[in-house]
Amino acid sequence: MHEMEPSGDSRLSEDEQWNSRHVMGNYGARGLCMERGEGVYLYDVRGRRYLDFTAGIAVCALGHAHPQVTATLAEQAGTLIHCSNLYENPQQNRLATRLAELSGLDQAFFCNSGTEANEAAIKLARRYAYLAGQHHRTRIVSLPRAFHGRTLGSLSITPKAAYQEGYWPLLPGCDWASTLAETFDKIDDYTAACFVEVVQGEGGVHPLEAEFLQVIENRCRQVGALLVVDEVQTGVGRTGSFFAFEQVGLHPDVITMAKGLANGVPVGAVLASQEVASAFTPGSHGSTFGGNPLAMAVANTVVDLVANPDFLQHVREVGNYLSTKLQDIGSEVSGLGLMQGMTVPDAKSFVARAAERGVLLTAVGNTRVRFVPPLIVEPQHVDELVQVLAE
Ligand SMILES: Cc1ncc(COP(=O)(O)O)c(C=O)c1O
């Protein structure tokens, strides 16, 4: 066989770096071009350093180029990247066991993103009702301001007109109330599941009251609907506990995860009790890439580090420090742990001006700015952030 010649210098030219003509326009103009990362800093192609309070949208929990993540990636890449779900997968088995211990649930299904995890959870809830002979129980209820993803099923339980526009017809049987208080009445004998987030991240970083969430859980129990807690953004230590539901006294039937789980390697997970999980009988759902050895190995490394009580204590401490500092300079600061939001007159221009001064933030909606740094951030980085924002 013909041996491939090494291609020499693989670096892109300046023109290639900035040429996005053949990339679809759904992300809009992006402006900055990042080349590498280290800890809580990103460096662009011009060598400029940025303090990263986006963490790839609440993904890079351990920061950029974390040595243990890099080592795991390199080792697993040199051993086995992918073999499909036709075969036993020790890394997958280990992660499932670990997540079961941490969540109090029993079994995991692995996929590649948050929206896929929610898609799978919608299917699981419907199929669980179906196999129980409750063929009428198909409705999926979500909350106002919820965000569950962009695939058609997850989009159908994401009540944001701008995201749904033009994609009709969406999945039938999805419903939400216009206020949190009215959600209670939406959950009835026809409801397969109600999806909740403990902190509504994309909705503006709004923590929901524990009492409210508990009322929703009790209502689900009363009518026989499943409670699905979407921990895609809040999970993996982001709020200062491994899962956010632990802080509000919920007992989910199903949990969905993604984002922080493998520090940027695509992964998603659905956790469920044995009884509910049994609805996914052989052949009833699947994913080619889901749970492959590479993603699972990295996720195991991440979970080993983040689930450490000292690490979670660090998230709570720096999270409190961040919240206090933001309250000194901004208004309507809310959040949990290292997931904080603040109200500003114009979020888009605030974020743009911060980037000009070397600090990366994300806007959620028109007037909310979100702070979701890598969880390894230190108080001195918060000081650096606040100094720039105070200008
Ligand atoms: C709570 C929540 N659920 C689901 C998703 C969708 O995840 P993904 O973008 O990985 O599909 C997100 C993404 O922001 C999220 O915050």
Side-chain angles (χ1 to χ4, degrees):
M1 232 182 76
H2 185 72
E3 289 237 342
M4 292 249 296
E5 287 291 320
S7 62
D9 189 353
S10 61
R11 275 178 303 175
L12 301 179
S13 69
E14 175 92 349
D15 183 50
E16 285 169 322
Q17 280 168 1
W18 291 97
N19 176 4
S20 62
R21 278 192 299 281
H22 299 289
V23 177
M24 289 197 192
N26 52 305
Y27 298 114
R30 292 183 273 189
L32 298 175
C33 184
M34 296 303 168
E35 188 170 63
R36 67 184 184 89
E38 199 182 315
V40 297
Y41 293 100
L42 280 175
Y43 296 81
D44 73 9
V45 289
R46 302 202 161 112
R48 182 153 187 226
R49 189 177 88 154
Y50 299 85
L51 178 63
D52 182 14
F53 268 67
T54 71
I57 318 189
V59 167
C60 307
L62 297 173
H64 304 287
H66 188 282
Q68 274 163 275
V69 171
T70 306
T72 302
L73 260 172
E75 192 189 331
Q76 191 62 46
T79 310
L80 181 66
I81 292 177
H82 180 82
C83 61
S84 86
N85 284 300
L86 292 169
Y87 310 109
E88 251 344 299
N89 177 336
Q91 294 284 2
Q92 193 180 106
N93 293 343
R94 180 173 187 261
L95 183 64
T97 304
R98 199 75 184 93
L99 293 177
E101 285 163 6
L102 288 163
S103 65
L105 294 175
D106 302 307
Q107 293 192 322
F109 165 80
F110 294 105
C111 50
N112 312 286
S113 66
T115 196
E116 266 182 78
N118 286 324
E119 204 73 30
I122 293 170
K123 288 180 71 178
L124 183 65
R126 285 193 169 170
R127 197 169 152 88
Y128 173 68
Y130 171 82
L131 293 181
Q134 302 200 342
H135 295 188
H136 63 283
R137 197 186 274 282
T138 57
R139 189 181 303 148
I140 310 290
V141 173
S142 55
L143 304 187
R145 277 205 303 221
F147 183 86
H148 297 297
R150 304 285 201 148
T151 50
L152 273 182
S154 302
L155 180 63
S156 303
I157 57 170
T158 294
K160 181 159 171 164
Y163 291 166
Q164 293 188 344
E165 187 183 353
Y167 296 115
W168 304 295
L170 296 177
L171 190 68
C174 297
D175 203 6
W176 55 85
S178 47
T179 66
L180 287 175
E182 288 165 317
T183 300
F184 185 90
D185 298 324
K186 291 281 179 191
I187 304 169
D188 62 18
D189 295 342
Y190 290 86
T191 307
C194 177
F195 279 64
V196 302
E197 295 155 88
V198 174
V199 183
Q200 295 186 310
E202 300 302 307
V205 199
H206 298 291
L208 296 181
E209 298 278 338
E211 295 73 29
F212 166 77
L213 289 167
Q214 286 162 15
V215 165
I216 294 294
E217 175 174 313
N218 291 339
R219 179 67 178 165
C220 287
R221 299 274 170 270
Q222 191 186 12
V223 301
L226 299 180
L227 178 71
V228 181
V229 179
D230 180 339
E231 295 262 8
V232 167
Q233 190 159 156
T234 52
V236 198
R238 174 60 52 193
T239 67
S241 47
F242 191 80
F243 292 106
F245 79 80
E246 298 166 44
Q247 297 184 50
V248 288
L250 289 183
H251 308 86
D253 300 293
V254 177
I255 297 168
T256 57
M257 310 177 69
K259 287 197 184 276
L261 189 52
N263 213 56
V265 176
V267 69
V270 181
L271 314 178
S273 63
Q274 176 77 51
E275 188 190 327
V276 174
S278 67
F280 271 176
T281 51
S284 59
H285 190 55
S287 163
T288 297
F289 291 125
N292 82 14
L294 188 77
M296 297 293 98
V298 179
N300 275 314
T301 295
V302 171
V303 170
D304 285 347
L305 293 169
V306 173
N308 182 322
D310 293 339
F311 188 94
L312 295 170
Q313 172 73 15
H314 166 85
V315 175
R316 289 193 293 276
E317 281 170 13
V318 187
N320 287 340
Y321 187 66
L322 172 64
S323 165
T324 311
K325 288 282 172 182
L326 290 177
Q327 283 169 45
D328 290 343
I329 57 164
S331 65
E332 294 178 28
V333 174
S334 64
L336 262 188
L338 285 170
M339 183 174 176
Q340 298 287 334
M342 183 174 99
T343 299
V344 294
D346 179 350
K348 224 172 144 187
S349 76
F350 190 94
V351 168
R353 277 184 289 136
E356 279 164 21
R357 288 165 177 75
V359 169
L360 301 176
L361 307 170
T362 45
V364 277
N366 297 331
T367 60
R368 295 284 287 173
V369 174
R370 172 174 46 183
F371 302 84
V372 281
L375 305 182
I376 54 162
V377 71
E378 295 287 344
Q380 84 227 31
H381 302 122
V382 174
D383 293 339
E384 194 181 326
L385 164 91
V386 170
Q387 200 184 337
V388 169
L389 298 190
E391 287 168 15

